[in-house]
Amino acid sequence: MSKTVPSPLKFDALSDKIESFETQKICSAYKAMGIDVSRYFKDLKKIELFQCRGTGYKFYYPFSIIGDAEFYKELSLKRDNYYSTRWEHLQILPSLNTTQKILEIGSGFGVFLSLLKSKGIIAEGIELNPIALNNCKEQQLKVHNQLIEDFVKDSVEQFDVVCYFQVLEHITNIYDFISNSLLALKPGGRLIIGVPNNNPYLFINDKFHTLNLPPHHAGLWDKNSLKSLEKIFNISLDSLTFEPLEKTYNQFLPTYLANTNAINAFLIKSFNKIAPRLLKRVVCRFVNGRNILAVYTKPL
């Protein structure tokens, strides 16, 4: 494969190869979860990770390795908690009110739409997973089985808020996806994005975290790549918030120890035996948690 490819986020920027992954190892990891993903890696012994020079955004390549609706249907059947209430939902909910009309792209089983409905907020969603879509309809939630580029044709500037939680990392055509979602947003409206934090929580400390690899994830987001969006699109960044590490500290520490160097691991393990509570306070103060919530405004 090429050592440089065009960036899917910033078209006038190249992206450099920074990592490669053996597809057999990826397939084995998913097989342990009970999911066969070999069809996505046909004739590929390795896939590659590229980083956009202009934004720092990292993405897996080739794009043909990313999952389809059938993959997400299978994943939702295997993992009962795949669609659930998230930190981002509860973080942003108090800032939303009944004067706003909200669009959620990638509604899943309607968890966030249900929270909005309970507050009397007008909201609708977009979802492609057929099982999730039926679940939303059973809850009498207004959800469309469309791609955003088709939906927005009849919905230009119709929403006060457009949001997507744990969705952007699954998208290959990033630029078009964000552009179309902004078309649905009224001037002065807010774009709300929640994504996994890959610096340093996931990718840096656990490169082979199964669900952070294709066909599940297409890209890896962090603080810098999210900040770069206001340089590409006509939006301004209002806030960037990290989920507190305390919630998942017990998952983070063993993963970090397994992926750091031997000397560092020895020192941290020793410290943890002597003063585990103090270590937790120190680590949680300096390390950001598992997810990031970014809020942008579209100018009037």
Side-chain angles (χ1 to χ4, degrees):
M1 293 184 186
S2 172
K3 291 184 179 180
T4 60
V5 297
S7 169
L9 179 57
K10 193 173 188 294
F11 294 140
D12 60 350
L14 287 175
S15 302
D16 301 299
K17 174 186 168 183
I18 59 172
E19 194 90 19
S20 62
F21 298 83
E22 295 180 6
T23 57
Q24 184 177 4
K25 189 171 181 179
I26 296 174
C27 290
S28 296
Y30 277 96
K31 189 174 182 180
M33 296 173 56
I35 301 175
D36 181 7
V37 298
S38 58
R39 66 187 182 276
Y40 297 102
F41 304 104
K42 189 177 180 181
D43 300 324
L44 287 173
K45 292 184 178 180
K46 290 185 178 181
I47 62 167
E48 295 174 339
L49 184 73
F50 284 80
Q51 183 170 29
C52 172
R53 293 178 186 175
T55 65
Y57 171 63
K58 302 181 184 74
F59 59 95
Y60 295 103
Y61 191 84
F63 297 137
S64 58
I65 59 179
I66 304 306
D68 52 17
E70 187 63 28
F71 170 76
Y72 289 100
K73 175 183 175 181
E74 188 175 5
L75 187 60
S76 62
L77 289 171
K78 293 290 183 181
R79 295 176 65 90
D80 293 336
N81 66 339
Y82 186 67
Y83 296 111
S84 58
T85 303
R86 298 184 178 277
W87 163 80
E88 307 99 285
H89 295 160
L90 302 179
Q91 185 75 14
I92 201 65
L93 192 62
S95 72
L96 306 176
N97 59 65
T98 55
T99 66
Q100 299 169 318
K101 184 180 180 183
I102 298 173
L103 173 68
E104 182 189 16
I105 305 174
S107 303
F109 277 58
V111 174
F112 189 61
L113 290 179
S114 295
L115 289 173
L116 295 172
K117 185 178 180 180
S118 69
K119 289 189 65 174
I121 297 174
I122 298 173
E124 52 192 282
I126 294 175
E127 178 58 47
L128 301 180
N129 180 341
I131 294 178
L133 188 67
N134 288 335
N135 190 286
C136 288
K137 289 181 178 179
E138 289 174 1
Q139 299 177 70
Q140 297 184 332
L141 299 172
K142 188 176 181 180
V143 180
H144 308 270
N145 183 19
Q146 288 181 288
L147 295 169
I148 180 60
E149 55 261 42
D150 297 321
F151 174 82
V152 77
K153 290 175 183 177
D154 298 315
S155 304
V156 174
E157 296 186 354
Q158 294 297 304
F159 296 91
D160 301 286
V161 175
V162 173
C163 56
Y164 21 96
F165 305 104
Q166 308 295 317
V167 169
L168 202 58
E169 67 272 18
H170 302 278
I171 306 299
T172 55
N173 57 331
I174 289 290
Y175 182 86
D176 291 341
F177 180 86
I178 296 176
S179 295
N180 283 305
S181 66
L182 289 172
L183 284 176
L185 192 61
K186 294 178 182 178
R190 289 191 296 165
L191 174 66
I192 301 170
I193 300 174
V195 289
N197 176 21
N198 279 283
N199 186 18
Y201 193 95
L202 280 172
F203 178 73
I204 289 178
N205 288 318
D206 190 8
K207 293 180 181 181
F208 279 92
H209 181 80
T210 308
L211 291 180
N212 207 33
L213 289 166
H216 189 238
H217 282 180
L220 307 175
W221 292 90
D222 59 21
K223 176 179 66 175
N224 292 331
S225 51
L226 285 169
K227 283 183 175 181
S228 75
L229 295 184
E230 65 177 344
K231 299 177 182 178
I232 301 170
F233 303 98
N234 189 24
I235 52 175
S236 58
L237 179 63
D238 296 333
S239 63
L240 199 64
T241 310
F242 293 89
E243 181 179 17
L245 182 63
E246 285 89 346
K247 286 190 171 186
T248 52
Y249 175 79
N250 291 336
Q251 299 171 22
F252 171 81
L253 188 60
T255 300
Y256 177 80
L257 290 172
N259 289 278
T260 191
N261 62 69
I263 295 175
N264 199 29
F266 173 78
L267 292 173
I268 292 175
K269 286 178 181 178
S270 300
F271 194 177
N272 195 41
K273 288 181 180 179
I274 299 169
R277 291 183 181 179
L278 178 58
L279 176 65
K280 181 178 180 179
R281 285 200 299 270
V282 172
V283 172
C284 290
R285 181 178 178 182
F286 292 102
V287 179
N288 293 317
R290 189 181 182 90
N291 295 294
I292 314 175
L293 179 67
V295 180
Y296 307 83
T297 296
K298 181 178 179 178
L300 293 171

